[in-house]
Every structure is written in C-alpha cells, then in structure tokens.
Amino acid sequence: MLKEELQKIVRGEVLTDEDTLRNYSHDASLFTVKPQAVVYPMDKADLEALTRYVVNNKALNPNLSLTIRAAGSCMAGGPLNKGIIADVTKHMNAVSEIQGENVEVEPGVFYRDFEKLTLEKKLILPCFTASKNLNALGGMIGNNCAGEKTLRYGKMENFVLESKVIFSDGNEYLVKPLNKDELDVKINQGDFEGNIYKNLYSLINSNKDLIDGARPDVSKNSAGYYLWNVYRNGIFDLNKLLVGSQGTLGLVTQAKVKLVPVEPVSKLFVIFLPDLKHLAELVNVILRTTPESIESYDDATMKLAVRFFPEMLKTMKAKHFFKLLLSFIPEGLMMINEGGIPKLIVLVEYAGKTEEEVNGKMKDLEEKLKPFRYQMRLTHSVEESDKYWTIRRESFNLLRKHVRGSRTAPFIDDVIVKPEYMPEFLPKMRQILDKYKLVYTIADHSGNGNFHIIPLMDMRKKSNIEVIKKVSEEVYNLVSFYKGSITAEHNDGIIRTPYLNKMFLPEVLDLFQKTKNIFDPQNIFNPGKKVGGSIEYMCKHISLE
C-alpha cells in the first residue's frame, strides 16, 4: 500500500522488501531501527513530493517521517528512523564545475569521488574525516564534520557558503547569509519561509544572553542546535544552524562549498611521551608553530600495532617492504632503552609550499621542544610518515578482526575538552573505562582536545546495555565537569540526544525544541535527533547481535 502510494508521486525507485528494509535498519552505530520504506529520490522534486506526502498523512500514520540518508557511515544512528528513508547517493550526486575556489554539490556525492575532482584543480575540502573513503557530502554537512586538518581550517560549518533546502511546507528555498535589511525583507514576506526567519530571529533576539552562555567553550562542537552561530556581526545566516542539524530542520538538496588550495609539501614530526604530565604545555608550544594538525594515539593502540605487526605492515602496501620494516628499528630500540611503550605518540603535521618552508617549521619545533627532553622523530618521506598514520587509522580495524565475538560499540566516541585539561581528563576517563573492564583504544585530535574512544563489546550480552548507560553517564558527567562537549564531530543522533542535558540547561533545551517547532511543527524530519530522544528509546534499539 505505502509502496504504491509513494511510487505514484516520485520518479525514483521505492523499495519495501525485507532485505532492503533490513539493510537500511543499520548505519555504523549500535542501533537497529526498521523503516517502512526506502526511496531513491531522482531529484529535488521527488523530495518535495515526499515531504508533502508525509505532512498530509502524518495523522493517519504517526510513525511516518522522512529521513535523508547519504553513505550511512554515521556512528550515532543519525540516518535511522521508522518512517521513509530517502537515500540520495544513487541519483542526487552531481558536482558542478569548480568556479574559482567554490563548487556546488548534491548531498549524495561520495567524498572519495569529490576529492578526485578537486585535486585535479589542486584544491581540497579540508574538513574531511578519517572515514573519507566511506562518507558522502550530505552526511558531512548533516553532522558538521571535522578531521585531521580541522585544527587549521575548522569544521564544515566554515565551508558551506549557500544551500538549497526543502522546508516542511514541501518547497525548496535558497539559504544564504543576509544583512539586516535583507533579513527585514524576509521577515515581512508573510509566507512559510518568512515566518521561519521571523520566529527564529525573535527567538534568538529574545534569548541572546542565554544562547551566548550556552555556546560550548571548546574549539569543536556538534551537539545541539547552533543558535549562537546564526546572527553574528550583523549577518543572519541559517546555514550556520542547518549545518550539523542532522536533517531535522530541512532537507539539503544542494550546497555551495568553499575549497582551499592544497599545500604541495607536508611532513610529520613525531613525539613520544613517557607520561602525560606536560601534555597541555607541550600542545601549547606546538600550537605556536602553526601546524596543519596535531594528532595522537595511546599506548594501547601502539601495543596493538606491535601485536599484529606483520599484518599492520601489509596494510601499508609499501613499495619497499623491507626498507619500511627496517625503518621501525629506531622505535624498537627506543622502547627497549626507555623501558617500554610511550604513553602517548603525538603526530604533528606541517604543510607548506616548499621543502625549505616545512623543514624550517620542523627545526623550529625541535628547538622549542628540547627542554622537554622527549624522544622525537622528524620524518623525511611520505612512506615514513605513512607508517605512523597507518597505526593511528588502522589499529582499531585490526583489533576488531582479531577479537572474536565482539563488535565496535561507538557510544562515548567523540568527547572534547580544552587541551589544557587533557592531562587531568584522560586518566580519569580511562579509570571509568577500566572500571567496567572495557577493551578499547584511544586516538585523539590533540590540538583540539578531542578523544575518539570506541570499545569492543559482545553485544549479544544484554547486560552490556546497562554498561553503556552507566559508562555514558559517568563519562559525560566528567566532560560536563571540564565544561567540554559530548560530541565534537560525530553529532547527537540516537546515542547522544538523551544526554544533551549534561551540556545544556533546561531553558536551552527548551529553545532547541522551539527551534525544531519553528522549522518542523509536525516533527516529520528525522524525529528523535537533537530533540525528543530518550534513554529508553536508545536502549530499546541497541542491536543485540
């Protein structure tokens, strides 16, 4: 019945068979949520028709909703829902000709394909994630993505210049920055679009102090609705709210994004820390040298690399295998001489236009770090740098392959505190994880104080649901104590929406709900994310497989 009704109003395919519904019940998160139908919209007209259909039939079918989905690589359950899932990767994946340093993209284009086109012009979208070979532009916008180069360039919110968005009246609108005169014109339109601007402006203007006080005091945040970003320096820009809203306020059909030139030379500076006592001071010294990125991984990650060393080498696909093998000898000798594996390995990447420029930055850092008396390594080739990046990126995949009966369990995977709190915060967080005997690795964006922790758990044990609840509660209390954010990059989704009260006052959560009501009064777009989530719903939909 639903399939036939939807097929009458859209040109794209409509699927309701069990295999398809089962496939779209999952993303990269812990959850299983079975939809009623999956649609591959052909274009914006299909998405407009779907929106109107859900609005007109919501009363008859309360579970009816519309959730836009791209690659399905979200670890928070962002694109999962019980209504209609609109997968935009099949048909809505166009990329315009690059004009200067700007380009228009549809939400379904995979980043890996997009990057090939931009690199031809020696340009890049620098907020790409570690999963850049998997994700798509729509998800990157929906989650307000970030990654290795965010320290220098910032998050996705800095790169969306304009967008085309379908609001809950079923019409597509151009969203771009407005000055006060242009905003006044919008407010006085008297139509659905005008009322969004009117009501949101009133909400922000009437609660300015509360909203400004709610802004998380960290360099990266994907939690909540970014009301503090919308009206700044005389410019009112809805894109600053829509980016990171996980498709709960409208459906992005196209975005104009800004690119940056690729630096032709990059090298890695590696620092081995025997303890965390001077970590904050170290990061501050490094930041003054304007690196491209500061990344790190812990001793547990390094132990995995040692344990599965031959397999790790194979993943590097080096041209000169034995030369690469020999290149690890200095690290091996250092561990023997220094009494074991370092507590933290810090990777500092520098980029520039010439070898001389990059080498100068690395020598400058080397001089600045001499008082710390740490073991350091300046890499001299791409292959040499790649061995450290591979350990950071691939260690968890190795662990997942070798631990039987367990699966990835991302639920506290994206916390962030100010870098100055890292030496205190990290040991306390590890105490919580160790108390519950979790197997895990930790990698982080040290320059931002952003930690990625993804335990391995046997989710066939129902008792692990209680562990997830308890660990979440304790870790997020710790994050709150240090005035951080429970999600720097991966967004709220099903897994973190119930815990937004750890970060925001009840009055701020109420503003989030009012924001949702302004854009989506019938709650048709991706319900249960950002607002309306619960721990009960979260636990009920954790997959016990």
Side-chain angles (χ1 to χ4, degrees):
M1 177 68 173
L2 179 61
K3 179 179 179 178
E4 287 73 23
E5 289 181 355
L6 295 179
Q7 199 64 78
K8 289 176 185 176
I9 63 170
V10 300
R11 293 191 301 125
E13 304 92 319
V14 179
L15 301 173
T16 57
D17 62 281
E18 282 302 311
D19 285 346
T20 300
L21 298 185
R22 189 181 306 110
N23 288 338
Y24 283 83
S25 298
H26 304 279
D27 55 3
S29 72
L30 284 167
F31 302 106
T32 298
V33 183
K34 186 178 179 182
Q36 297 177 42
V38 174
V39 180
Y40 300 113
M42 193 67 65
D43 49 26
K44 69 157 189 171
D46 277 1
L47 287 174
E48 288 175 329
L50 289 170
T51 300
R52 295 189 188 107
Y53 177 87
V54 175
V55 167
N56 293 332
N57 291 274
K58 181 77 171 175
L60 297 173
N61 184 351
N63 278 331
L64 201 58
S65 62
L66 181 56
T67 297
I68 197 166
R69 176 176 171 132
S73 59
C74 180
M75 298 200 296
L80 304 182
N81 240 306
K82 294 183 177 180
I84 299 166
I85 305 297
D87 183 339
V88 291
T89 58
K90 189 168 186 179
H91 301 300
M92 297 184 68
N93 51 27
V95 180
S96 74
E97 185 176 343
I98 297 172
Q99 301 290 334
E101 294 183 356
N102 299 334
V103 62
E104 293 178 348
V105 298
E106 289 186 327
V109 62
F110 284 94
Y111 180 84
R112 59 178 180 263
D113 301 324
F114 176 71
E115 189 181 76
K116 289 175 187 174
L117 299 174
T118 66
L119 289 179
E120 288 175 3
K121 302 286 187 178
K122 297 183 178 179
L123 297 168
I124 198 165
L125 180 61
C127 53
F128 62 81
T129 70
S131 58
K132 68 177 186 174
N133 290 327
L134 302 175
N135 58 15
L137 269 292
M140 294 171 71
I141 293 168
N143 279 346
N144 191 15
C145 73
E148 294 165 6
K149 296 185 184 295
T150 295
L151 180 65
R152 176 176 175 182
Y153 294 102
K155 300 188 66 178
M156 190 76 196
E157 61 192 307
N158 296 340
F159 294 91
V160 175
L161 303 175
E162 296 180 357
S163 61
K164 292 180 180 177
V165 183
I166 296 169
F167 291 139
S168 61
D169 65 339
N171 296 314
E172 182 192 69
Y173 298 94
L174 175 65
V175 177
K176 62 181 183 178
L178 305 175
N179 61 34
K180 187 59 170 68
D181 290 341
E182 293 167 328
L183 176 61
D184 288 340
V185 171
K186 283 285 186 192
I187 286 173
N188 290 317
Q189 283 178 183
D191 57 7
F192 188 88
E193 181 195 26
N195 286 334
I196 284 179
Y197 281 89
K198 176 183 177 181
N199 294 329
L200 189 67
Y201 173 75
S202 176
L203 180 80
I204 291 171
N205 206 38
S206 301
N207 298 278
K208 188 177 184 307
D209 290 343
L210 180 61
I211 290 169
D212 287 346
R215 184 188 187 103
D217 188 20
V218 285
S219 59
K220 295 191 295 187
N221 170 65
S222 284
Y225 286 130
Y226 317 146
L227 294 171
W228 42 83
N229 285 347
V230 178
Y231 195 27
R232 300 179 66 81
N233 302 316
I235 298 297
F236 194 93
D237 188 0
L238 281 188
N239 289 300
K240 300 299 184 185
L241 177 65
L242 294 169
V243 173
S245 63
Q246 290 198 302
T248 61
L249 304 179
L251 309 179
V252 175
T253 60
Q254 188 183 75
K256 179 190 284 189
V257 299
K258 178 174 65 174
L259 307 171
V260 300
V262 175
E263 298 281 20
V265 180
S266 68
K267 289 187 177 181
L268 204 59
F269 190 110
V270 187
I271 310 162
F272 305 91
L273 275 64
D275 54 56
L276 305 180
K277 287 187 294 187
H278 302 292
L279 179 58
E281 186 183 350
L282 173 72
V283 170
N284 283 333
V285 170
I286 297 171
L287 286 172
R288 289 199 291 270
T289 66
T290 62
E292 190 89 346
S293 63
I294 309 174
E295 307 288 300
S296 63
Y297 49 87
D298 68 345
D299 52 347
T301 303
M302 193 65 189
K303 287 172 185 174
L304 281 174
V306 172
R307 183 178 173 188
F308 303 118
F309 187 66
E311 192 170 342
M312 178 73 73
L313 284 176
K314 289 177 185 176
T315 67
M316 296 182 187
K317 299 177 181 177
K319 293 178 183 176
H320 306 290
F321 182 85
F322 289 106
K323 185 178 178 182
L324 180 64
L325 181 64
L326 292 173
S327 76
F328 277 98
I329 290 176
E331 283 80 9
L333 292 174
M334 180 194 69
M335 290 177 197
I336 293 169
N337 295 331
E338 297 294 323
I341 293 174
K343 284 293 180 186
L344 203 70
I345 294 89
V346 179
L347 312 179
V348 186
E349 184 181 22
Y350 290 101
K353 292 180 172 53
T354 65
E355 289 268 349
E356 290 76 16
E357 179 188 353
V358 174
N359 288 340
K361 290 179 180 180
M362 294 177 76
K363 287 293 182 183
D364 179 42
L365 180 61
E366 187 176 34
E367 285 299 314
K368 284 181 167 61
L369 294 186
K370 280 183 178 178
F372 289 92
R373 299 182 180 277
Y374 290 142
Q375 292 284 338
M376 296 176 279
R377 188 86 185 271
L378 284 68
T379 63
H380 300 287
S381 67
V382 172
E383 271 194 359
E384 196 178 358
S385 296
D386 280 349
K387 75 181 186 184
Y388 296 106
W389 285 123
T390 300
I391 292 170
R392 188 191 186 285
R393 293 167 179 159
E394 296 296 327
S395 59
F396 192 79
N397 289 332
L398 287 173
L399 181 62
R400 183 174 56 182
K401 287 179 189 176
H402 290 278
V403 178
R404 295 183 179 180
S406 296
R407 53 164 292 192
T408 55
F411 64 98
I412 45 156
D413 47 286
D414 192 34
V415 297
I416 180 171
V417 297
K418 278 187 169 183
E420 63 211 61
Y421 297 138
M422 287 169 60
E424 292 179 35
F425 177 85
L426 182 54
K428 290 179 181 178
M429 181 174 65
R430 291 185 69 160
Q431 283 178 6
I432 295 170
L433 302 176
D434 294 342
K435 180 171 70 173
Y436 291 95
K437 296 181 172 55
L438 294 176
V439 177
Y440 61 91
T441 60
I442 296 177
D444 68 81
H445 305 292
S446 297
N448 300 103
N450 177 200
F451 297 90
H452 292 314
I453 316 103
I454 309 175
L456 279 176
M457 302 176 76
D458 185 351
M459 294 312 302
R460 295 168 298 185
K461 297 179 180 177
K462 199 169 183 179
S463 58
N464 273 330
I465 294 178
E466 282 301 311
V467 172
I468 288 170
K469 285 168 59 179
K470 290 175 181 177
V471 172
S472 297
E473 185 80 15
E474 293 184 34
V475 169
Y476 294 154
N477 281 340
L478 185 65
V479 172
S480 178
F481 178 81
Y482 285 100
K483 296 180 171 55
S485 171
I486 63 176
T487 176
E489 300 174 347
H490 300 168
N491 220 286
D492 299 318
I494 296 171
I495 196 68
R496 277 177 286 271
T497 294
Y499 294 100
L500 287 174
N501 60 0
K502 300 292 182 183
M503 286 180 61
F504 300 109
L505 296 170
E507 295 87 347
V508 176
L509 297 178
D510 184 54
L511 292 182
F512 291 168
Q513 184 62 63
K514 288 177 178 176
T515 300
K516 172 70 168 173
N517 294 343
I518 289 169
F519 284 84
D520 183 16
Q522 285 187 258
N523 195 26
I524 66 165
F525 290 140
N526 203 13
K529 322 295 160 49
K530 298 289 183 181
V531 297
S534 70
I535 292 175
E536 290 73 24
Y537 183 93
M538 178 189 86
C539 293
K540 182 179 178 183
H541 290 89
I542 289 176
S543 178
L544 296 174
E545 295 178 357

